[in-house]
Amino acid sequence: MRRYTKPAIVVTALGALGLAAFGSGAADAAGDNAGPGSPSRVTAESVSWNHGTAQLNKRVMQRFTSEFLPTGDPAPARKFISPDIVMHFGGTTQQGRDTYLGIVAANMKAFPDLKWTVEDMRAEGDTVAIRYTMTGTHEGPFAGVEGTGKKIHAESFAFYRLSHGKIVEERAQLDMLGILQQMGAIPAA
């Protein structure tokens, strides 16, 4: 009986996934053409297909964060954001690309030097998770507070769901407590 070490098993599994990526396509990956008794083949191809989708979505988000976020320009936004995007943040749900662009414009007015830095990005299936650092100078109204001229530094986490290369849903959590404390709107603990 031949013994396999763990590295050999990993290399074999990775090889199977790599070959599956060049297999007969989406129908096989979804299991449509798999015969009885071939669950391992379907599983390997499904994992490979999922990984390929995740990597494509990650590339879309890399472009989104480098081409759209620095400027907030609506023209490139159309490449990345679905007209029917659904956004969840601050305990609210809002919908529509125009609403999204309005929020971005208001943030850019409040922080004219607003900068989003991607600290980490992970992709799985149709979802990309990003951890950001936000920096900017509070010059205009934000969260009911007039401009203070104070420098702001905060972290944010966002989960983006993509379909056909466009963002269809965003779930974001910005450190609002930290921002309000830095602006002097509420006392720091």
Side-chain angles (χ1 to χ4, degrees):
M1 176 179 226
R2 187 173 181 174
R3 295 183 67 195
Y4 294 99
T5 62
K6 285 183 182 178
I9 292 169
V10 170
V11 169
T12 302
L14 289 174
L17 290 175
L19 289 174
F22 297 103
S24 57
D28 282 349
D32 292 344
N33 297 330
S38 61
S40 62
R41 179 175 168 257
V42 171
T43 302
E45 288 182 0
S46 296
V47 169
S48 177
W49 184 260
N50 186 29
H51 178 72
T53 300
Q55 293 310 306
L56 289 172
N57 288 337
K58 187 173 182 180
R59 281 193 284 264
V60 168
M61 293 310 299
Q62 287 167 334
R63 290 188 59 211
F64 171 81
T65 58
S66 66
E67 294 175 26
F68 170 69
L69 280 186
T71 66
D73 181 1
R78 288 177 183 84
K79 290 190 281 189
F80 305 111
I81 303 169
S82 166
D84 302 317
I85 185 172
V86 176
M87 303 150 291
H88 310 275
F89 47 84
T92 67
T93 298
Q94 298 183 39
Q95 187 170 351
R97 183 171 48 209
D98 290 340
T99 301
Y100 191 93
L101 293 173
I103 293 166
V104 170
N107 289 340
M108 302 280 297
K109 185 175 180 182
F111 303 94
D113 58 347
L114 180 63
K115 182 177 179 190
W116 294 96
T117 302
V118 175
E119 302 294 346
D120 194 14
M121 184 182 298
R122 305 295 168 129
E124 184 173 317
D126 66 354
T127 302
V128 178
I130 302 178
R131 180 173 59 90
Y132 294 103
T133 300
M134 171 205 159
T135 56
T137 308
H138 181 221
E139 299 290 343
F142 183 79
V145 179
E146 291 300 319
T148 61
K150 295 184 178 182
K151 298 278 185 190
I152 305 299
H153 179 275
E155 289 203 2
S156 175
F157 299 90
F159 291 85
Y160 300 90
R161 190 170 59 83
L162 288 85
S163 179
H164 303 290
K166 292 193 185 262
I167 303 165
V168 295
E169 185 175 25
E170 177 181 358
R171 293 183 180 273
Q173 186 64 47
L174 179 62
D175 179 14
M176 285 298 292
L177 176 61
I179 291 173
L180 292 170
Q181 288 175 333
Q182 292 173 60
M183 291 188 312
I186 59 174

